[in-house]
Amino acid sequence: MSTIIYPSPIFGPIKSRRLGISLGINLLPGDGKVCTFDCIYCECGFNAERRPKEKMPTRHEVAHALEQKLTQMLAENIAPDVLTFAGNGEPTAHPDFAGIIDDTLSLRDRYFPNAKVSVLTNATRIDRTEVHEALKKVDNNIVKLDTVDVNYITRVDRPMGRYDLGKLMTCMRNFKGHCVIQTMFMKGTDAKGISVDNTTDEYVEPWINAVADIAPREVMIYTIDRETPLHNLQKATPKELDSIVTRLQARGIKASASY
């Protein structure tokens, strides 16, 4: 199984489909994966097969490594469009996540004030006050919502513990528009041969209604781009993604698709 494990705490810059020139910030260990989901499409592989031996980088280590990289990029005249918290799992799982956000914003302002700070989160911890408040500070608070069907989430996103969709959607609404919804659309079957196609009306219409209720600043939809740990998954087609974007736009919701 060929999947991606990112260096820690800094990687890139890389060219992001959705964000431009992105300098990655990985708050998880550099030799494995730590996540509150165990998605069957995750480019980092399954949690059980990617258990790390290293520890998470400390708040000091993250700030030091980030400042070194930003200093280098400034000297080389390479300006990032965005500093992106992503990597080997869920960034908000770091115990010092809120403090690291403060450090990052300060370093951004010092070295590249025009760059945005983005966080890619699966939203499982946004009910925690310190996480919620930290996400309100960043430019792009990008939260995952693949569907509003709990059975689908259980089979595909596979939460590692109790998952209260209603509570998390209330937290998304409480961002009062300061969030971007990110959704994976795909087809194929899971390990038991059950369809994971969430491009059909059965899934799309309730999801659009939920998105309209959350009222995010924007919606980003995408499909599989790299190898997945489960090989019977398939990309959603550009036509299918464009159709979903059109339906969102008809509801007055800003939306874009990455193929």
Side-chain angles (χ1 to χ4, degrees), residues 142-190:
I142 304 173
V143 296
K144 173 176 287 296
L145 184 65
D146 285 342
T147 179
V148 290
D149 185 297
V150 175
N151 289 330
Y152 187 97
I153 292 169
T154 301
R155 287 194 300 112
V156 175
D157 293 336
R158 305 198 303 174
M160 305 298 289
R162 185 173 178 271
Y163 183 82
D164 188 335
L165 177 61
K167 182 177 184 180
L168 296 181
M169 286 179 59
T170 296
C171 291
M172 293 179 198
R173 285 194 294 272
N174 288 342
F175 284 124
K176 300 186 185 305
H178 185 67
C179 70
V180 176
I181 298 295
Q182 178 179 248
T183 301
M184 164 70 81
F185 286 100
M186 63 180 182
K187 300 191 290 187
T189 58
D190 64 17

Side-chain angles (χ1 to χ4, degrees), residues 1-49:
M1 177 175 61
S2 175
T3 49
I4 299 171
I5 292 295
Y6 293 92
S8 180
I10 306 298
F11 62 94
I14 61 175
K15 180 67 174 178
S16 167
R17 286 187 293 170
R18 298 179 292 281
L19 301 173
I21 298 174
S22 172
L23 181 64
I25 304 173
N26 176 22
L27 302 186
L28 292 315
D31 66 336
K33 180 185 172 192
V34 177
C35 198
T36 50
F37 271 174
D38 193 17
C39 298
I40 63 174
Y41 59 77
C42 181
E43 65 183 24
C44 295
F46 292 130
N47 292 357
E49 297 170 359

